[in-house]
Amino acid sequence: MRRPVVGGNWKMHGTLQAARDLARALAARLGRQPAAGAEIVVFPPAVHLVAVVEELKGTAVGVGAQNAHFAASGAYTGEVSPTMILDAGAAWALLGHSERRHFEGGAPEDDALLNRKLKAALAAGMRPVLCIGETLAERESGRTEAVLGGQLSGSLAGLSSEELVRTVLAYEPVWAIGTGKTATPETAQEAHAFVRRWLAGRFSAETAGEVRVQYGGSVKPENAAALMAMPDVDGALVGGASLAAAAFAAIVTAARR
Ligand code: PEP
């Protein structure tokens, strides 16, 4: 039985005080989540990591960064390395979010770069969450599976089965992120089943059966249970609704299997 993972992506929101307040509210609601429930992680902005780690110390809520570089240190202005994130007390790293793959006015992240980042995060002992997903144009032109297969092939190249099982995948259709347009549970299941078939073909059926694949895209307390009840949907990656402790806690509760 795969343990679901519920992640909260706080993106570039809030002040230091707001991050502390949200973390404290989560600690009060989810701090004593029983081991049988979902695994929980939040991804605050990098400058808030230390404070959020402090607030969530000793609780069931893990902390991660929204990005991690492939180098341990060096002349990479503006970047944050796995070593630095671990040193800040956070264990997780969100990689390849569509807002970074399709960066407006910046350098978009491609699968070759994400492959380097993923390998570096794994080598450092971090717990990576790798995002994949198609745009609306790609879905409407019947290319969803080709796009997902390409992203998996490029970003997971050279990983061992053990490394793959330590990686959480997040299927996030780009058209559903921050738009209020959630995929139906059936549409999500279809994509998740494709991902698992692809993993079984490239690795093994046994390995594919162990990998957690979250769904992300306008998940809210009202739709979370139906999405996460799908057989291949192992939790959720939540953006907007993760900024309210009550809503995020309700999604975590809906993830119990
Ligand atoms: C996300 O940021 O990964 C996300 C899914 O955002 P939202 O829940 O707001 O659509």
Side-chain angles (χ1 to χ4, degrees), residues 8-202:
N9 176 11
W10 296 1
K11 308 195 185 191
M12 197 173 72
H13 290 297
T15 59
L16 178 59
Q17 190 55 50
R20 278 196 185 275
D21 291 345
L22 180 52
R24 226 169 273 167
L26 290 177
R29 287 171 185 272
L30 299 169
R32 284 186 204 147
Q33 177 80 4
E39 199 163 4
I40 313 163
V41 55
V42 293
F43 299 96
V47 290
H48 298 161
L49 276 175
V50 171
V52 172
V53 164
E54 205 175 282
E55 298 293 346
L56 292 172
K57 204 171 177 154
T59 74
V61 185
V63 183
Q66 297 174 14
N67 177 34
H69 200 260
F70 54 78
S73 66
Y76 298 103
T77 303
E79 295 288 337
V80 185
S81 76
T83 320
M84 289 169 167
I85 298 162
L86 290 166
D87 191 40
W92 294 74
L94 189 59
L95 298 176
H97 191 280
S98 64
E99 287 154 16
R100 297 190 59 83
R101 283 181 182 266
H102 304 275
F103 233 152
E104 267 175 54
E109 297 190 333
D110 62 15
D111 293 306
L113 175 66
L114 291 168
N115 182 245
R116 293 182 77 184
K117 289 187 170 192
L118 181 56
K119 284 177 172 163
L122 286 162
M126 298 197 78
R127 313 194 54 197
V129 176
L130 176 79
C131 303
I132 56 170
E134 81 287 358
T135 63
L136 186 59
E138 288 163 344
R139 173 162 284 270
E140 286 180 342
S141 58
R143 298 180 50 231
T144 299
E145 293 191 356
V147 169
L148 297 180
Q151 291 174 339
L152 290 167
S153 176
S155 52
L156 301 180
L159 253 67
S160 67
S161 295
E162 180 272 326
E163 288 173 321
L164 176 66
V165 171
R166 274 205 283 139
T167 304
V168 172
L169 298 178
Y171 168 62
E172 296 209 303
V174 180
W175 47 270
I177 298 178
T179 59
K181 286 186 203 145
T182 322
T184 63
E186 294 71 25
T187 302
Q189 168 58 26
E190 206 176 296
H192 283 235
F194 168 76
V195 169
R196 214 172 294 286
R197 277 200 307 279
W198 189 96
L199 295 174
R202 185 59 64 95

